[in-house]
Amino acid sequence: MSFDFEPSRPPVSSISLAGMTDVVLLLLVFFLLTSSFVPQLGIEVTLPEVDASAPVEQQYITVSLTEDGSYFVNGNPASEGQLTERMRDARSETTTTVVLRADEGATIRQFATVASAAQALELRVLMATERS
């Protein structure tokens, strides 16, 4: 009994790239949908002054950290123990974000304190930076 190990068909000389293009397209769509975009500040303009205007509700809470360890919530000083309470007072119904403006000399511990307070209030934290 002899075995014939010779292939009866010629070898495949071309490879279909359709499967690979499908995977690349799916990865592209995935990364486009899951990436987060930071809003650009846009063009700086001087707004006209009027006697009366409709109140504008602030969409975010600004927390500033200084190099010496001071905390400021929307420009008002706060101690580390008062941070969550002050952020809760500054929060409105539509507020979902905390913008963190930290000095270069601020510590990771200060950032962690703000992040912990934001997590307790179910807010997300965005880090403000300057363009170079």
Side-chain angles (χ1 to χ4, degrees):
M1 183 191 278
S2 72
F3 292 105
D4 184 22
F5 291 109
E6 292 289 323
S8 60
R9 294 181 292 171
V12 178
S13 61
S14 66
I15 298 174
S16 173
L17 297 178
M20 187 175 72
T21 56
D22 289 343
V23 170
V24 171
L25 180 65
L26 287 174
L27 285 174
L28 178 66
V29 170
F30 172 77
F31 286 122
L32 286 174
L33 292 177
T34 59
S35 64
S36 63
F37 298 98
V38 178
Q40 300 296 323
L41 296 178
I43 300 171
E44 186 175 327
V45 295
T46 304
L47 299 174
E49 294 183 15
V50 294
D51 292 336
S53 65
V56 177
E57 194 168 329
Q58 195 166 3
Q59 299 289 328
Y60 55 87
I61 299 170
T62 303
V63 177
S64 302
L65 302 177
T66 60
E67 187 175 8
D68 64 354
S70 300
Y71 297 90
F72 293 89
V73 177
N74 287 343
N76 301 319
S79 67
E80 187 174 334
Q82 298 172 330
L83 189 61
T84 305
E85 180 183 334
R86 296 285 171 100
M87 288 172 62
R88 184 179 291 118
D89 293 341
R91 183 180 184 183
S92 67
E93 291 181 17
T94 60
T95 304
T96 60
T97 306
V98 173
V99 176
L100 179 61
R101 299 177 53 84
D103 188 88
E104 288 179 345
T107 63
I108 296 296
R109 185 175 83 53
Q110 289 175 294
F111 176 77
T113 302
V114 174
S116 174
Q119 183 180 14
L121 297 173
E122 297 179 357
L123 299 170
R124 67 183 185 142
V125 179
L126 295 178
M127 184 76 165
T129 60
E130 286 188 20
R131 290 185 184 190
S132 55

PDB file of all heavy atoms in Angstrom, residues 76-94:
ATOM      1  N   ASN A  76     -13.037  80.505  44.408  1.00  0.00           N
ATOM      2  CA  ASN A  76     -13.190  80.677  45.852  1.00  0.00           C
ATOM      3  C   ASN A  76     -12.277  79.698  46.583  1.00  0.00           C
ATOM      4  O   ASN A  76     -12.261  78.508  46.269  1.00  0.00           O
ATOM      5  CB  ASN A  76     -14.644  80.438  46.278  1.00  0.00           C
ATOM      6  CG  ASN A  76     -15.585  81.395  45.581  1.00  0.00           C
ATOM      7  OD1 ASN A  76     -15.295  82.569  45.422  1.00  0.00           O
ATOM      8  ND2 ASN A  76     -16.722  80.876  45.134  1.00  0.00           N
ATOM      9  N   PRO A  77     -11.529  80.179  47.597  1.00  0.00           N
ATOM     10  CA  PRO A  77     -10.612  79.284  48.306  1.00  0.00           C
ATOM     11  C   PRO A  77     -11.361  78.194  49.072  1.00  0.00           C
ATOM     12  O   PRO A  77     -12.474  78.405  49.558  1.00  0.00           O
ATOM     13  CB  PRO A  77      -9.861  80.212  49.272  1.00  0.00           C
ATOM     14  CG  PRO A  77     -10.612  81.487  49.301  1.00  0.00           C
ATOM     15  CD  PRO A  77     -11.484  81.550  48.091  1.00  0.00           C
ATOM     16  N   ALA A  78     -10.747  77.017  49.135  1.00  0.00           N
ATOM     17  CA  ALA A  78     -11.318  75.880  49.862  1.00  0.00           C
ATOM     18  C   ALA A  78     -10.177  75.076  50.455  1.00  0.00           C
ATOM     19  O   ALA A  78      -9.108  74.967  49.853  1.00  0.00           O
ATOM     20  CB  ALA A  78     -12.144  75.006  48.928  1.00  0.00           C
ATOM     21  N   SER A  79     -10.418  74.515  51.624  1.00  0.00           N
ATOM     22  CA  SER A  79      -9.412  73.635  52.220  1.00  0.00           C
ATOM     23  C   SER A  79      -9.593  72.232  51.638  1.00  0.00           C
ATOM     24  O   SER A  79     -10.587  71.937  50.988  1.00  0.00           O
ATOM     25  CB  SER A  79      -9.560  73.616  53.743  1.00  0.00           C
ATOM     26  OG  SER A  79     -10.777  72.988  54.097  1.00  0.00           O
ATOM     27  N   GLU A  80      -8.624  71.367  51.932  1.00  0.00           N
ATOM     28  CA  GLU A  80      -8.700  69.999  51.406  1.00  0.00           C
ATOM     29  C   GLU A  80      -9.931  69.276  51.952  1.00  0.00           C
ATOM     30  O   GLU A  80     -10.586  68.527  51.240  1.00  0.00           O
ATOM     31  CB  GLU A  80      -7.435  69.241  51.781  1.00  0.00           C
ATOM     32  CG  GLU A  80      -7.332  67.874  51.165  1.00  0.00           C
ATOM     33  CD  GLU A  80      -6.001  67.203  51.443  1.00  0.00           C
ATOM     34  OE1 GLU A  80      -5.000  67.898  51.665  1.00  0.00           O
ATOM     35  OE2 GLU A  80      -5.981  65.964  51.444  1.00  0.00           O
ATOM     36  N   GLY A  81     -10.285  69.524  53.203  1.00  0.00           N
ATOM     37  CA  GLY A  81     -11.444  68.888  53.801  1.00  0.00           C
ATOM     38  C   GLY A  81     -12.767  69.413  53.271  1.00  0.00           C
ATOM     39  O   GLY A  81     -13.775  68.718  53.288  1.00  0.00           O
ATOM     40  N   GLN A  82     -12.772  70.666  52.793  1.00  0.00           N
ATOM     41  CA  GLN A  82     -13.998  71.279  52.287  1.00  0.00           C
ATOM     42  C   GLN A  82     -14.188  71.083  50.791  1.00  0.00           C
ATOM     43  O   GLN A  82     -15.192  71.517  50.238  1.00  0.00           O
ATOM     44  CB  GLN A  82     -13.982  72.787  52.552  1.00  0.00           C
ATOM     45  CG  GLN A  82     -13.929  73.191  53.990  1.00  0.00           C
ATOM     46  CD  GLN A  82     -13.729  74.698  54.124  1.00  0.00           C
ATOM     47  OE1 GLN A  82     -13.114  75.326  53.268  1.00  0.00           O
ATOM     48  NE2 GLN A  82     -14.255  75.256  55.193  1.00  0.00           N
ATOM     49  N   LEU A  83     -13.235  70.456  50.131  1.00  0.00           N
ATOM     50  CA  LEU A  83     -13.244  70.395  48.674  1.00  0.00           C
ATOM     51  C   LEU A  83     -14.510  69.740  48.125  1.00  0.00           C
ATOM     52  O   LEU A  83     -15.170  70.293  47.241  1.00  0.00           O
ATOM     53  CB  LEU A  83     -11.996  69.653  48.182  1.00  0.00           C
ATOM     54  CG  LEU A  83     -11.741  69.687  46.690  1.00  0.00           C
ATOM     55  CD1 LEU A  83     -11.553  71.117  46.221  1.00  0.00           C
ATOM     56  CD2 LEU A  83     -10.526  68.873  46.341  1.00  0.00           C
ATOM     57  N   THR A  84     -14.891  68.582  48.633  1.00  0.00           N
ATOM     58  CA  THR A  84     -16.092  67.884  48.131  1.00  0.00           C
ATOM     59  C   THR A  84     -17.336  68.717  48.382  1.00  0.00           C
ATOM     60  O   THR A  84     -18.201  68.832  47.504  1.00  0.00           O
ATOM     61  CB  THR A  84     -16.232  66.510  48.800  1.00  0.00           C
ATOM     62  OG1 THR A  84     -15.030  65.767  48.595  1.00  0.00           O
ATOM     63  CG2 THR A  84     -17.398  65.730  48.221  1.00  0.00           C
ATOM     64  N   GLU A  85     -17.432  69.329  49.559  1.00  0.00           N
ATOM     65  CA  GLU A  85     -18.593  70.151  49.888  1.00  0.00           C
ATOM     66  C   GLU A  85     -18.687  71.371  48.983  1.00  0.00           C
ATOM     67  O   GLU A  85     -19.773  71.700  48.477  1.00  0.00           O
ATOM     68  CB  GLU A  85     -18.505  70.592  51.348  1.00  0.00           C
ATOM     69  CG  GLU A  85     -19.658  71.445  51.808  1.00  0.00           C
ATOM     70  CD  GLU A  85     -19.475  71.900  53.253  1.00  0.00           C
ATOM     71  OE1 GLU A  85     -18.789  71.211  54.019  1.00  0.00           O
ATOM     72  OE2 GLU A  85     -20.024  72.968  53.572  1.00  0.00           O
ATOM     73  N   ARG A  86     -17.571  72.034  48.736  1.00  0.00           N
ATOM     74  CA  ARG A  86     -17.574  73.219  47.864  1.00  0.00           C
ATOM     75  C   ARG A  86     -17.908  72.843  46.422  1.00  0.00           C
ATOM     76  O   ARG A  86     -18.593  73.574  45.723  1.00  0.00           O
ATOM     77  CB  ARG A  86     -16.217  73.935  47.913  1.00  0.00           C
ATOM     78  CG  ARG A  86     -15.867  74.503  49.261  1.00  0.00           C
ATOM     79  CD  ARG A  86     -16.668  75.762  49.536  1.00  0.00           C
ATOM     80  NE  ARG A  86     -16.508  76.207  50.886  1.00  0.00           N
ATOM     81  CZ  ARG A  86     -15.700  77.189  51.270  1.00  0.00           C
ATOM     82  NH1 ARG A  86     -14.986  77.820  50.370  1.00  0.00           N
ATOM     83  NH2 ARG A  86     -15.615  77.526  52.525  1.00  0.00           N
ATOM     84  N   MET A  87     -17.405  71.699  45.976  1.00  0.00           N
ATOM     85  CA  MET A  87     -17.727  71.246  44.617  1.00  0.00           C
ATOM     86  C   MET A  87     -19.205  70.881  44.519  1.00  0.00           C
ATOM     87  O   MET A  87     -19.844  71.160  43.510  1.00  0.00           O
ATOM     88  CB  MET A  87     -16.840  70.059  44.232  1.00  0.00           C
ATOM     89  CG  MET A  87     -15.405  70.439  43.965  1.00  0.00           C
ATOM     90  SD  MET A  87     -14.295  69.039  43.746  1.00  0.00           S
ATOM     91  CE  MET A  87     -14.969  68.259  42.298  1.00  0.00           C
ATOM     92  N   ARG A  88     -19.773  70.295  45.566  1.00  0.00           N
ATOM     93  CA  ARG A  88     -21.198  69.960  45.583  1.00  0.00           C
ATOM     94  C   ARG A  88     -22.037  71.236  45.536  1.00  0.00           C
ATOM     95  O   ARG A  88     -23.049  71.308  44.835  1.00  0.00           O
ATOM     96  CB  ARG A  88     -21.540  69.150  46.827  1.00  0.00           C
ATOM     97  CG  ARG A  88     -22.996  68.674  46.854  1.00  0.00           C
ATOM     98  CD  ARG A  88     -23.329  67.851  48.077  1.00  0.00           C
ATOM     99  NE  ARG A  88     -22.638  66.559  48.029  1.00  0.00           N
ATOM    100  CZ  ARG A  88     -21.733  66.159  48.929  1.00  0.00           C
ATOM    101  NH1 ARG A  88     -21.409  66.928  49.939  1.00  0.00           N
ATOM    102  NH2 ARG A  88     -21.162  64.984  48.813  1.00  0.00           N
ATOM    103  N   ASP A  89     -21.610  72.285  46.265  1.00  0.00           N
ATOM    104  CA  ASP A  89     -22.331  73.558  46.259  1.00  0.00           C
ATOM    105  C   ASP A  89     -22.260  74.238  44.893  1.00  0.00           C
ATOM    106  O   ASP A  89     -23.220  74.880  44.464  1.00  0.00           O
ATOM    107  CB  ASP A  89     -21.770  74.501  47.331  1.00  0.00           C
ATOM    108  CG  ASP A  89     -22.039  73.989  48.747  1.00  0.00           C
ATOM    109  OD1 ASP A  89     -22.928  73.134  48.916  1.00  0.00           O
ATOM    110  OD2 ASP A  89     -21.337  74.452  49.671  1.00  0.00           O
ATOM    111  N   ALA A  90     -21.120  74.100  44.197  1.00  0.00           N
ATOM    112  CA  ALA A  90     -20.940  74.745  42.892  1.00  0.00           C
ATOM    113  C   ALA A  90     -21.602  73.972  41.761  1.00  0.00           C
ATOM    114  O   ALA A  90     -21.790  74.503  40.667  1.00  0.00           O
ATOM    115  CB  ALA A  90     -19.446  74.900  42.593  1.00  0.00           C
ATOM    116  N   ARG A  91     -21.978  72.740  42.023  1.00  0.00           N
ATOM    117  CA  ARG A  91     -22.551  71.885  40.980  1.00  0.00           C
ATOM    118  C   ARG A  91     -23.998  72.268  40.698  1.00  0.00           C
ATOM    119  O   ARG A  91     -24.767  72.566  41.591  1.00  0.00           O
ATOM    120  CB  ARG A  91     -22.485  70.436  41.436  1.00  0.00           C
ATOM    121  CG  ARG A  91     -22.971  69.454  40.426  1.00  0.00           C
ATOM    122  CD  ARG A  91     -22.865  68.060  40.958  1.00  0.00           C
ATOM    123  NE  ARG A  91     -23.258  67.134  39.908  1.00  0.00           N
ATOM    124  CZ  ARG A  91     -23.334  65.842  40.077  1.00  0.00           C
ATOM    125  NH1 ARG A  91     -23.041  65.306  41.241  1.00  0.00           N
ATOM    126  NH2 ARG A  91     -23.697  65.065  39.083  1.00  0.00           N
ATOM    127  N   SER A  92     -24.367  72.253  39.419  1.00  0.00           N
ATOM    128  CA  SER A  92     -25.756  72.454  39.017  1.00  0.00           C
ATOM    129  C   SER A  92     -26.270  71.147  38.428  1.00  0.00           C
ATOM    130  O   SER A  92     -25.551  70.159  38.372  1.00  0.00           O
ATOM    131  CB  SER A  92     -25.858  73.589  37.996  1.00  0.00           C
ATOM    132  OG  SER A  92     -25.232  73.207  36.787  1.00  0.00           O
ATOM    133  N   GLU A  93     -27.504  71.157  37.972  1.00  0.00           N
ATOM    134  CA  GLU A  93     -28.102  69.926  37.425  1.00  0.00           C
ATOM    135  C   GLU A  93     -27.425  69.474  36.138  1.00  0.00           C
ATOM    136  O   GLU A  93     -27.391  68.295  35.841  1.00  0.00           O
ATOM    137  CB  GLU A  93     -29.593  70.139  37.177  1.00  0.00           C
ATOM    138  CG  GLU A  93     -30.395  70.268  38.442  1.00  0.00           C
ATOM    139  CD  GLU A  93     -31.884  70.447  38.172  1.00  0.00           C
ATOM    140  OE1 GLU A  93     -32.313  70.158  37.040  1.00  0.00           O
ATOM    141  OE2 GLU A  93     -32.586  70.876  39.083  1.00  0.00           O
ATOM    142  N   THR A  94     -26.911  70.425  35.347  1.00  0.00           N
ATOM    143  CA  THR A  94     -26.309  70.068  34.062  1.00  0.00           C
ATOM    144  C   THR A  94     -24.794  69.894  34.125  1.00  0.00           C
ATOM    145  O   THR A  94     -24.176  69.585  33.128  1.00  0.00           O
ATOM    146  CB  THR A  94     -26.636  71.139  33.010  1.00  0.00           C
ATOM    147  OG1 THR A  94     -26.102  72.395  33.448  1.00  0.00           O
ATOM    148  CG2 THR A  94     -28.129  71.258  32.797  1.00  0.00           C
TER     149      THR A  94
END
